[in-house]
Amino acid sequence: AQEFLTYAGEKRELEIGLWLRTLKDSKERLREEENKLTLASHQYRQIQDELASLARRSEEEGAKAQELMAKIDELRRDAAGAEEETTRLNGEIAVLENTILHQNENIQRLQDDIQRSGQDDQAIDKEMIQKQTEREEVRQRISQKEAEAQGLQERLLSLSEQSESHAGRLRSASEVLSAMAAQMADLR
């Protein structure tokens, strides 16, 4: 019976030791799990911050893209206006050239009339000078209209180049937005 009591005491000490060991191991595992949980929470906050940053950048890039689209639309409207103005000026030039043609025909007719009739040279000279002056004025107006047309054509070319430049920037902004959207999707 003494041996039984001795074994029972040893058994009890072993059970208590085993229980203490189990408590110690559980405590260590619990501490490891808490560390993992803390690390996971920290990583989660970092990912949330990164997602918020990407969302802000995405909104900024979207705003830039809209701004570029507005500029492109404005340049297109300006280019269309310049084309209309060029067309109008070309029409005016054609009218003025036609006027010169008629004036030349009038001068020729007058010269023919002078030769056929024996009118007063002074009156005819005066009329010829007047017609030549009118012709010169028409030529000057044509030159002015041609200069205006040239200026508008140069402006149209400039607007076209600006439109192409803005379109390139818009494509770049779209690529950045796509890349950011892909990053956001990967992070989720």
Side-chain angles (χ1 to χ4, degrees):
Q2 184 66 23
E3 277 183 44
F4 178 75
L5 288 175
T6 305
Y7 287 134
E10 285 179 20
K11 178 182 172 190
R12 184 180 169 138
E13 284 178 22
L14 287 173
E15 285 176 347
I16 291 172
L18 182 62
W19 183 71
L20 288 173
R21 172 86 175 165
T22 303
L23 277 177
K24 182 181 173 185
D25 289 346
S26 295
K27 193 175 184 181
E28 285 180 29
R29 276 188 260 148
L30 185 60
R31 196 173 312 126
E32 288 174 7
E33 293 300 319
E34 284 178 353
N35 288 341
K36 288 179 183 177
L37 183 61
T38 302
L39 179 62
S41 288
H42 179 70
Q43 288 174 342
Y44 178 77
R45 279 191 302 273
Q46 283 180 327
I47 289 172
Q48 287 294 333
D49 291 344
E50 205 170 311
L51 282 173
S53 173
L54 284 173
R56 280 191 305 273
R57 283 180 53 204
S58 177
E59 288 174 9
E60 290 170 1
E61 292 298 325
K64 287 179 184 176
Q66 287 178 342
E67 185 179 314
L68 286 173
M69 288 297 290
K71 285 181 181 178
I72 287 172
D73 287 342
E74 182 181 338
L75 288 172
R76 285 182 181 153
R77 283 191 302 273
D78 288 348
E83 285 178 5
E84 289 174 10
E85 184 67 13
T86 300
T87 302
R88 183 186 67 78
L89 288 174
N90 285 336
E92 286 183 22
I93 288 170
V95 168
L96 292 173
E97 286 174 345
N98 194 29
T99 302
I100 287 175
L101 178 66
H102 288 299
Q103 292 296 333
N104 286 337
E105 289 173 356
N106 286 340
I107 290 171
Q108 185 62 44
R109 194 171 352 105
L110 287 174
Q111 287 174 345
D112 290 345
D113 286 348
I114 289 172
Q115 288 177 355
R116 278 184 262 142
S117 69
Q119 292 181 354
D120 183 56
D121 286 342
Q122 254 185 355
I124 292 173
D125 286 343
K126 185 177 179 183
E127 190 173 342
M128 280 182 60
I129 290 171
Q130 180 184 358
K131 294 296 182 183
Q132 287 175 342
T133 303
E134 288 175 6
R135 185 174 75 183
E136 188 58 36
E137 288 173 1
V138 169
R139 282 189 180 159
Q140 288 175 356
R141 286 175 44 201
I142 287 175
S143 295
Q144 181 184 9
K145 295 298 180 181
E146 286 175 340
E148 287 178 18
Q150 180 64 30
L152 287 173
Q153 287 175 341
E154 290 172 1
R155 182 171 175 229
L156 178 62
L157 179 63
S158 171
L159 290 173
S160 176
E161 291 171 355
Q162 286 178 2
S163 176
E164 290 175 15
S165 170
H166 287 298
R169 287 175 48 200
L170 180 61
R171 280 193 298 276
S172 297
S174 292
E175 290 172 3
V176 169
L177 282 174
S178 296
M180 287 172 43
Q183 286 178 352
M184 286 178 64
D186 291 344
L187 287 174
R188 288 185 185 171

